[in-house]
Amino acid sequence: MKTYAEQRSAAAHRAVKLMKALTKAQEELRSYPREDRFLYRDEVYDLMGQLVWALVESERCEEALVFARKLPKNTHFGVRHVCEGTALEGLGRFDEARVILEKGLSRHRKSVPMLNCLGLCYSGLNRFNDALDCFDRARMLDPREPKILFNKAVALFNLSLYEDARDIVTKLLKKCPDDPMYNALAGHCYTYMGYPDDGAKSLKAALDCGDDDPMTYDTLYWAYRYMGLLNDAIAQAQEGIRKYPDTYPYLYRDLAGGYLELAWVDDAREVVKKGLAVFPDDPDLKELQDALDENPGDYGGDEATEKPEPILMVIRDPRQRNKVKRIHSGSMVPCE
């Protein structure tokens, strides 16, 4: 199983090859008499559609959107809507994508890619029940597509239906035990269900398989905290911040909470300061800073015997967090 970085690299190489093939096909098309071009233009549009997918997978969504909008509406209506919607989703423009995909689905009610993409769009808009409806309709048309099943599991997770999500991803893991997304989702489910040992095992497997999502480190931190392994928890938060210094504010809060558990208040202050430098508008980091400022005494050192409760109260349990964020930037997977 390739790591996410390897998958993105492969998609980038594929995009380069498709770009060359598209340029060549367009040049050949121009060489034909005008009245005969319609006989050969489908090859150009097929290459253009493939290029859109490769660009999205290599996280070049702005370029993907440009090519998606070059597909003709009159002859390639469905493909155009799926490609444009997917590119917009990759840019986080979910409401625009929703409008396009709902319009496309009104004419292509049995389009599995369009149903799947619209489900992903609803997930991006936090409309997880609507997302589930799309994934279920898609599965009725194509029950063997694992990407749709996984997307359904992600939606269930975000509805706090952890056991249902776990049951789905467990089946997926039987066929692909080294898939990093499957292992990561299983780890999140187990941890949120209150089984931190199983959660840590799956999350570590995800990292070993090439997972590169900061939420994995966040949930692994809490799995270790629930198990009473504070030093291991702190190590995960530190590694998460090292790899993702400007991606996920929870990691700074995690690390500050671990330091406060050890009564290392000065270290916690420094972590919060660094976090706010990157995420100046994060409300929890601001609240934690205010709490630390209200307790200016030095709680560190060997003399500290109690953790300052007012400060620790703002270190929230992850199960109280908004889990709308994608479990992984590539986890809500489109199917071609």
Side-chain angles (χ1 to χ4, degrees), residues 223-280:
Y224 283 135
R225 283 290 299 266
Y226 297 151
M227 294 161 64
L229 303 174
L230 182 58
N231 288 333
D232 291 326
I234 287 173
Q236 295 305 316
Q238 290 172 331
E239 179 64 10
I241 291 173
R242 185 189 69 79
K243 291 187 67 176
Y244 309 100
D246 57 359
T247 304
Y248 206 64
Y250 288 135
L251 292 170
Y252 289 93
R253 285 171 264 170
D254 291 342
L255 185 55
Y259 286 157
L260 287 171
E261 189 75 17
L262 294 171
W264 296 355
V265 179
D266 288 340
D267 295 280
R269 285 196 184 97
E270 186 63 26
V271 170
V272 173
K273 180 180 177 182
K274 290 180 179 179
L276 283 171
V278 183
F279 304 99

Side-chain angles (χ1 to χ4, degrees), residues 91-284:
L91 292 168
R93 294 159 61 177
F94 298 111
D95 210 40
E96 293 178 63
R98 176 192 60 79
V99 173
I100 290 169
L101 292 166
E102 286 179 345
K103 182 178 180 181
L105 198 60
S106 68
R107 286 176 55 179
H108 297 269
R109 296 184 181 278
K110 294 186 177 181
S111 170
V112 173
M114 202 170 296
L115 281 165
N116 186 62
C117 286
L118 183 57
L120 297 178
C121 182
Y122 285 141
S123 290
L125 292 168
N126 309 340
R127 294 170 55 178
F128 297 109
N129 285 311
D130 291 327
L132 286 176
D133 178 64
C134 286
F135 297 141
D136 284 337
R137 289 166 62 189
R139 286 195 65 231
M140 289 178 65
L141 297 166
D142 188 0
R144 297 184 178 181
E145 175 52 63
K147 292 178 182 178
I148 298 171
L149 194 57
F150 177 75
N151 290 334
K152 177 180 179 179
V154 174
L156 288 167
F157 173 85
N158 281 299
L159 287 168
S160 300
L161 299 173
Y162 308 126
E163 189 170 350
D164 292 337
R166 187 275 316 271
D167 290 344
I168 290 176
V169 79
T170 299
K171 293 178 181 178
L172 293 171
L173 279 167
K174 289 180 179 179
K175 294 184 177 180
C176 297
D178 295 328
D179 188 289
M181 291 188 297
Y182 297 169
N183 279 289
L185 179 55
H188 296 312
C189 290
Y190 280 124
T191 302
Y192 282 54
M193 289 167 62
Y195 303 114
D197 290 15
D198 293 325
K201 181 180 178 181
S202 294
L203 292 164
K204 287 189 291 184
L207 293 174
D208 291 340
C209 293
D211 176 272
D212 64 353
D213 184 77
M215 188 176 173
T216 301
Y217 287 97
D218 174 42
T219 305
L220 188 54
Y221 165 90
W222 282 101
Y224 283 135
R225 283 290 299 266
Y226 297 151
M227 294 161 64
L229 303 174
L230 182 58
N231 288 333
D232 291 326
I234 287 173
Q236 295 305 316
Q238 290 172 331
E239 179 64 10
I241 291 173
R242 185 189 69 79
K243 291 187 67 176
Y244 309 100
D246 57 359
T247 304
Y248 206 64
Y250 288 135
L251 292 170
Y252 289 93
R253 285 171 264 170
D254 291 342
L255 185 55
Y259 286 157
L260 287 171
E261 189 75 17
L262 294 171
W264 296 355
V265 179
D266 288 340
D267 295 280
R269 285 196 184 97
E270 186 63 26
V271 170
V272 173
K273 180 180 177 182
K274 290 180 179 179
L276 283 171
V278 183
F279 304 99
D281 298 322
D282 183 82
D284 288 341

